[in-house]
């Protein structure tokens, strides 16, 4: 049985553990989405140290084709689910951001 959306939001604002249990699968899935992975790889390629040598320049990795971040976010079903969970609640947004920070601090990966 599913609670009405407004009741779910109220419950999640009171019970952080329940919010975490519902949000974490979507957070993990978002990090594994192809578009997210390609975006991160593109960032890593662009941050690679540059060398002035022509031999190094010829073998340097080329940036991957990428979509604007807005398109990536709009096309992510997991991110859309998280946005629907947060709705207009600043408290829920801050809770999910803290889950992301905690996960990154514990695991060292997105």
């Amino acid at each position: 049985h599913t609670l009405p959306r407004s009741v779910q939001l109220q419950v999640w604002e009171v019970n952080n553990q329940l919010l975490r249990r519902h949000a974490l699968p979507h957070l993990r899935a978002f990090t594994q989405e192809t578009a997210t992975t390609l975006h991160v790889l593109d960032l890593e390629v662009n941050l690679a140290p540059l060398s002035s040598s022509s031999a190094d320049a010829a073998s340097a990795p080329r940036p991957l084709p990428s979509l604007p971040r807005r398109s990536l976010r709009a096309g992510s079903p997991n991110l859309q689910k998280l946005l629907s969970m947060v709705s207009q609640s600043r408290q829920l947004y801050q809770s999910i951001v803290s889950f992301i920070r905690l996960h990154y601090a514990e695991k060292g990966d997105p």
Side-chain angles (χ1 to χ4, degrees), residues 16-58:
N16 245 4
Q17 291 304 325
L18 191 58
L19 173 64
R20 184 180 177 118
R21 187 171 54 182
H22 285 266
L24 281 181
H26 297 290
L27 290 170
R28 288 186 188 116
F30 174 71
T31 64
Q32 301 301 316
E33 288 177 1
T34 302
T36 304
T37 303
L38 288 174
H39 183 70
V40 170
L41 289 173
D42 188 38
L43 291 175
E44 290 177 3
V45 167
N46 288 331
L47 293 175
L50 299 175
S51 173
S52 60
S53 137
S54 62
D56 287 340

Side-chain angles (χ1 to χ4, degrees), residues 8 12 34 42 50 58 79 82 101 103:
Q8 282 181 336
W12 289 335
T34 302
D42 188 38
L50 299 175
L79 189 55
L82 289 167
R101 287 181 177 154
H103 177 77

Side-chain angles (χ1 to χ4, degrees), residues 68-107:
R69 289 182 65 194
R70 179 175 285 182
S71 297
L72 294 175
R73 292 189 305 256
S76 167
N78 290 295
L79 189 55
Q80 294 305 314
K81 178 62 178 172
L82 289 167
L83 288 172
S84 75
M85 289 175 70
V86 167
S87 186
Q88 298 296 316
S89 171
R90 185 174 186 88
Q91 180 180 346
L92 292 176
Y93 172 80
Q94 290 173 338
S95 294
I96 288 180
V97 169
S98 72
F99 298 156
I100 294 168
R101 287 181 177 154
L102 180 63
H103 177 77
Y104 185 75
E106 290 175 351
K107 307 287 185 195

